[in-house]
Amino acid sequence: MAATIPFRAALLACAAIASPLAAAAPAPVPAAIPAAAPAATAVPAPVNPWMTPAIVAEQAAAAGDAGREAVANRRAKMLVAAMTLPQKLQQLTGAKPEILPELPQCFGGRHVSAIAALNIPTFRITNGPVGLGQNDCVSPEVANKPLTIPGFGVISAAYGHPSSAKATALPSATAVAATFDPAVAARFGEVIANEMNQLGLHVFEAPGVNLARLPILGRNFEYFGEDPYLAGAMATAEIKAIQDRGLIAMVKHYVANEQETNRMQIQETVDRQALRELYLLPFEMAVKDGKVAAVMCSYNYLNGQSACENREVLTDVLRGDWKFSGYVQSDFFATKSTVATLANGLDHEMPLPIHWAPEKISGALGSGALNEAQVDTALVRRFTQMFKAGIFDRPVVHQPIDFAAGGKAAREIGARSVVLLQNNGALPLNPAARSVVLIGKASQVYAQQAVAGGSVVGEPMGGGGGSSDVVPNYTVAPIDGLRQAMTDGSRAQLVLVDDDNRTATVDGKPASFAEVLALAGKAEAVVIMAGTVAEEGADRATFTDASGHQLAAPAAAGSTLDWYARRSNHIATTTGDNVARNSRTTDMIAALMAARSTSGRTMAAKSVLVLKDNAGPSLPASLVGPRGPAILEAWLPGQEDGNIVADALFGRTNPAGKLPVTIPLTGKGFLDRITAAQFPGVIGPDGKTQTVTYSEGLAIGYRWYDANADGRCGVVAGRNPCVAFPFGHGLSYTRFALGQPRLEANSATGTWTARVRVSNTGARTGAQVVQAYVTLPPAPGLPQPPKRLIGFARLDLAPGASGEAAITLDPGASHHPLSVWNEAEKRWVIPQGTFKVWLGTSSAPADLALAGTFTR
């Protein structure tokens, strides 16, 4: 009997499988693989004109991106011209799950079916963005496990079956952003691309470049933080690494997809200037700088139109303004119509032929609502990118995966992402310490398991249910990482405390909380692990019921270390199956810090709080400053969690990450001030339409705190009283000194270069990230924040070494560093007046120095 699941669960199931991983950086796969199939193959030599050896060789020999695309486009047009209408309609959408002809061991549900007569291979898609999520290969036995999806009918359970191939679970995208190093984003992309090629996959549905407008957004960990320039720079590096290896990257979710609650119906209202300067900007960089081959349109409505049929953003902006030449795919089940989607710029419906089912497109063609030229255009756009990547010119095969190499890369990426927020003497820990106590909550994953998005206590990683879930070949638990890092004779104990802070276990044996406090007092070092887990499908918020229409608790509650629900991919409520709960983590930490230390060092001097986070929590003031513990932010580290954290704790690696988000003090953050219209939205007169208004304009993240938007966050002595740790902040186990910054005009190019000398004055090798911000003169339109990030440079320096950070400011760059969007004129304009350029080590005024000014 077929199982029936609700639409939300079906949607999440259709986005939650995993696949295997490859070495970090083997030889790249060329963008076009020349020549025909090997002599041993049973496939006949290609005879179609778009597949002759001569044109394949021409594709491979084409010079530059434009040259390769021109040949690819010619091949795509020849192919489409030879297709029958039924063949065209079959290629417009994903296929029902089926055995893959090239891979009979695979039953897949994330592909477009092959057409052997036309030499069209099975076009295979995998999810992301933190490693290969759901892919196109599960056990053939799954074909016998039916699943009913409302609105479509009975299909197999191919979209969420645990027989999916395994993969390396990399650190989160937010962790990659914390490196402030495009080279790390490129390495991240290399691991993914190598793995995809070994599995015969073609499209990576990532990177994600939506912004952390809401710290409680369920998918923040899939994105690159709160700043659009940082997001665009990191995404561009990842895209290039993936596409240089003969694959298609797909930037998502286009656009204004900053809320998971009711994401399928939510109506987002965003001022056009804010849309251009913030939410569209990283997509623009991905298109112009990264030459991304594909864009995924999102679930939400934007300014009155569904994102997947929004002509303004799909055609006018994407293709008109940015000259995007790739194709647009729908998010899974995001398509909401037949005619408007195809007419307004969508090219590919996934995962199934629903709104673009052949009978519906044929009907629209017959009525004149659509014409065949529109179908041809959509196919030519996608086939062009397939030819350009060499997908037609190489066989679809599976190869062995090097899991050890993938794990090594994951550990190295994680090492560069850890942020040292404060250090009151506890770090680095002594590996020869005789006793270390690792403390966490029994109801939370942080001290118990390796953590990725959607982690659930007692369940293997990848069991949460979101599309980015990756099923790894192995995981490293926190206690194992600690014990492996410690010398013989040292001892690490795992303590798990209940939510009421009354009872606990010590290495599995029952104990009272009073005994835990005494144990911590005697220990040479205390490591506390806490954080925030969130996932696709829901935000970290408590609602009155599962409709997600009305909050039952302030939105800010979800950003604390205390809030949790067992299933982070379901709306949390006050009653029912997924109740929002209070772990009393902050009370536990306060009790530990107030405990009597009998080891000869104060609790603050021997305690470390390790945060594992979706996008950074709010922190109580009691934890920040000299009375608090040392604090490390490790994000969601993935399968190498235990090793990544232990390496940083014991000084085997030197933390050098910087915050890609602002961490506020509890009770003083953006979420403490927002209205229902900003989140979760206001229900209209029809009782169904939920409208969210981005009424904060340009003031998100550090820009909101800098602007003192509510009058309570005015800077005092260079520090914002609402901020625990500012955007861009991060310390080190060594010390750095910055010289006097300066700004140089380059009259020949019309650019400026901000420079500063950086010296490592400490005893350890480390890295410092210099950040450049600009203050604009008064400009028309929305109020501009006091500054915006326009560049950064990461310097790795040995003890005693110095280097120069040089950051170029180009007015013509794709991120428009000096410009504002003039909606009346529909163009970017540079305001007249004096510009100030700042260099420093965080967004806090006390950490910045004026490099210079110029007037335009």
Side-chain angles (χ1 to χ4, degrees):
M1 182 176 179
T4 302
I5 61 174
F7 184 77
R8 173 179 293 277
L11 184 63
L12 293 178
C14 290
I17 280 187
S19 314
L21 172 70
V29 174
I33 299 180
T41 183
V43 178
V47 294
N48 296 310
W50 55 90
M51 290 296 293
T52 62
I55 200 166
V56 171
E58 181 185 356
Q59 178 81 71
D65 184 82
R68 291 192 299 274
E69 186 153 308
V71 178
N73 184 255
R74 182 154 51 91
R75 296 177 73 184
K77 288 178 178 177
M78 285 192 286
L79 169 57
V80 171
M83 297 174 72
T84 65
L85 181 60
Q87 288 172 331
K88 292 176 182 179
L89 299 186
Q90 181 248 51
Q91 286 288 305
L92 279 177
T93 73
K96 290 183 69 173
E98 62 186 351
I99 296 290
L100 276 58
E102 302 96 333
L103 301 170
Q105 75 274 25
C106 290
F107 184 73
R110 297 183 63 88
H111 65 265
V112 182
S113 296
I115 302 180
L118 298 174
N119 288 286
I120 299 175
T122 303
F123 184 54
R124 306 182 67 222
I125 301 166
T126 183
N127 221 312
V130 293
L132 299 194
Q134 179 179 350
N135 67 56
D136 194 43
C137 184
V138 297
S139 169
E141 296 179 2
V142 177
N144 301 319
K145 300 180 184 297
L147 171 83
T148 298
I149 293 183
F152 186 81
V154 178
I155 62 170
S156 77
Y159 296 106
H161 198 267
S163 64
S164 173
K166 295 181 179 179
T168 293
L170 294 161
S172 67
T174 307
V176 173
T179 70
F180 275 70
D181 188 352
V184 173
R187 180 81 186 282
F188 187 87
E190 288 169 6
V191 173
I192 288 163
N194 291 329
E195 179 174 359
M196 287 179 64
N197 275 316
Q198 289 174 320
L199 290 181
L201 295 163
H202 301 133
V203 181
F204 185 54
E205 293 179 318
V209 296
N210 298 101
L211 301 182
R213 170 184 178 255
L214 300 172
I216 56 173
L217 169 65
R219 302 184 81 167
N220 271 335
F221 74 98
E222 298 185 33
Y223 307 141
F224 295 114
E226 68 190 29
D227 183 81
Y229 170 71
L230 176 62
M234 303 305 278
T236 294
E238 182 182 333
I239 289 164
K240 289 181 177 179
I242 291 168
Q243 297 191 166
D244 284 350
R245 286 156 178 79
L247 299 163
I248 290 173
M250 180 178 288
V251 69
K252 65 182 186 183
H253 303 90
Y254 189 70
V255 62
N257 186 204
E258 280 80 26
Q259 178 171 320
E260 286 296 288
T261 303
N262 291 324
R263 61 184 179 169
M264 297 292 293
Q265 298 86 26
I266 201 76
Q267 305 272 347
E268 309 280 14
T269 301
V270 189
D271 182 275
R272 262 65 174 192
Q273 182 180 352
L275 192 65
R276 290 278 190 162
E277 294 184 22
L278 294 176
Y279 305 102
L280 284 171
L281 194 66
F283 289 97
E284 183 174 1
M285 294 174 68
V287 169
K288 292 182 176 179
D289 300 338
K291 308 297 182 185
V292 72
V295 171
M296 178 190 285
C297 57
S298 53
Y299 292 118
N300 54 284
Y301 291 77
L302 173 63
N303 293 333
Q305 279 191 300
S306 168
C308 288
E309 59 188 59
N310 191 312
R311 186 173 186 83
E312 178 184 354
V313 294
L314 293 181
T315 297
D316 299 343
V317 174
L318 185 61
R319 301 190 186 281
D321 293 352
W322 301 347
K323 311 306 178 189
F324 174 65
S325 59
Y327 72 96
V328 177
Q329 177 199 294
S330 73
D331 203 341
F332 273 35
F333 301 99
T335 309
K336 296 179 173 68
S337 68
T338 299
V339 174
T341 46
L342 185 57
N344 290 343
L346 183 66
D347 302 305
H348 187 203
E349 181 184 28
M350 283 296 288
L352 297 163
I354 300 177
H355 291 285
W356 284 13
E359 63 273 16
K360 292 185 179 180
I361 297 290
S362 295
L365 292 173
S367 70
L370 292 173
N371 58 66
E372 194 167 348
Q374 291 170 310
V375 173
D376 291 353
T377 295
L379 292 174
V380 167
R381 286 169 177 168
R382 180 166 62 83
F383 288 154
T384 295
Q385 299 308 315
M386 291 174 65
F387 278 120
K388 183 180 175 183
I391 291 168
F392 281 88
D393 305 326
R394 62 179 184 260
V396 176
V397 296
H398 270 193
Q399 299 171 348
I401 302 301
D402 188 342
F403 291 107
K408 180 176 182 290
R411 186 170 180 174
E412 292 171 352
I413 291 168
R416 293 179 72 82
S417 72
V418 175
V419 183
L420 178 59
L421 297 177
Q422 71 180 22
N423 190 3
N424 294 328
L427 292 172
L429 301 180
N430 180 2
R434 288 168 297 176
S435 59
V436 175
V437 179
L438 171 59
I439 302 176
K441 283 288 181 172
S443 62
Q444 310 287 286
V445 298
Y446 310 108
Q448 301 184 61
Q449 303 166 206
V451 183
S455 295
V456 178
V457 174
E459 295 186 12
M461 184 181 292
S467 62
S468 63
D469 281 351
V470 180
V471 181
N473 182 258
Y474 69 89
T475 61
V476 182
I479 191 66
D480 294 332
L482 287 180
R483 287 171 177 165
Q484 291 167 15
M486 297 173 70
T487 59
D488 292 342
S490 300
R491 185 184 184 196
Q493 295 174 279
L494 174 61
V495 176
L496 299 175
V497 180
D498 76 330
D499 282 358
D500 291 329
N501 295 327
R502 294 180 180 177
T503 63
T505 59
V506 178
D507 288 339
K509 297 179 180 179
S512 68
F513 188 54
E515 290 173 314
V516 169
L517 296 178
L519 182 64
K522 291 188 295 184
E524 291 185 43
V526 177
V527 178
I528 308 161
M529 291 189 178
T532 60
V533 164
E535 194 180 8
E536 177 180 3
D539 302 304
R540 285 178 55 92
T542 307
F543 292 89
T544 56
D545 57 48
S547 71
H549 288 169
Q550 184 176 346
L551 288 170
S559 70
T560 68
L561 297 176
D562 293 329
W563 189 97
Y564 78 99
R566 175 165 171 75
R567 289 291 174 184
S568 56
N569 59 339
H570 293 277
I571 288 175
T573 57
T574 54
T575 60
D577 296 333
N578 199 47
V579 173
R581 302 184 186 278
N582 185 342
S583 66
R584 295 189 63 194
T585 296
T586 53
D587 287 346
M588 180 189 75
I589 298 171
L592 287 166
M593 298 308 297
R596 177 173 174 267
S597 177
T598 57
S599 64
R601 303 177 71 196
T602 66
M603 291 301 294
K606 70 177 187 180
S607 297
V608 185
L609 172 60
V610 177
L611 299 174
K612 298 176 182 178
D613 280 309
N614 184 51
S618 64
L619 292 176
S622 60
L623 296 182
V624 180
R627 292 188 174 183
I631 306 177
L632 276 178
E633 175 60 83
W635 312 108
L636 303 182
Q639 69 180 57
E640 281 282 334
D641 182 326
N643 286 332
I644 291 168
V645 173
D647 287 345
L649 286 173
F650 289 102
R652 296 192 298 198
T653 58
N654 189 352
K658 299 285 186 175
L659 286 177
V661 293
T662 302
I663 295 182
L665 291 168
T666 300
K668 297 185 178 182
F670 169 67
L671 288 178
D672 294 289
R673 308 289 187 259
I674 65 170
T675 64
Q678 292 171 291
F679 177 81
V682 175
I683 303 299
D686 62 1
K688 298 178 181 178
T689 304
Q690 191 167 356
T691 300
V692 171
T693 303
Y694 287 36
S695 57
E696 68 279 358
L698 300 174
I700 73 165
Y702 67 90
R703 303 173 192 223
W704 184 86
Y705 295 93
D706 284 354
N708 190 17
D710 71 346
R712 307 181 194 184
C713 298
V715 173
V716 178
R719 301 290 175 187
N720 194 308
C722 296
V723 173
F725 299 105
F727 175 90
H729 169 77
L731 305 176
S732 173
Y733 294 154
T734 191
R735 298 182 302 278
F736 294 97
L738 271 62
Q740 180 62 42
R742 62 190 189 280
L743 184 67
E744 300 172 351
N746 310 308
S747 57
T749 60
T751 63
W752 289 264
T753 302
R755 302 179 184 274
V756 66
R757 191 156 189 80
V758 181
S759 300
N760 183 346
T761 60
R764 290 173 176 259
T765 295
Q768 179 63 284
V769 176
V770 175
Q771 300 150 49
Y773 297 84
V774 66
T775 299
L776 302 181
L782 295 174
Q784 288 290 326
K787 60 180 178 292
R788 61 168 70 161
L789 180 73
I790 56 168
F792 52 85
R794 178 168 172 145
L795 284 74
D796 289 87
L797 298 170
S802 297
E804 184 180 70
I807 300 170
T808 297
L809 197 169
D810 180 359
S814 63
H815 62 284
H816 309 285
L818 303 182
S819 299
V820 300
W821 178 256
N822 187 314
E823 177 58 21
E825 298 180 11
K826 298 291 190 293
R827 67 185 183 97
W828 290 94
V829 298
I830 298 177
Q832 299 299 304
T834 299
F835 295 78
K836 298 179 180 179
V837 179
W838 310 86
L839 289 182
T841 56
S842 90
S843 63
D847 294 332
L848 295 171
L850 185 66
T853 64
F854 59 89
T855 302
R856 287 180 63 94

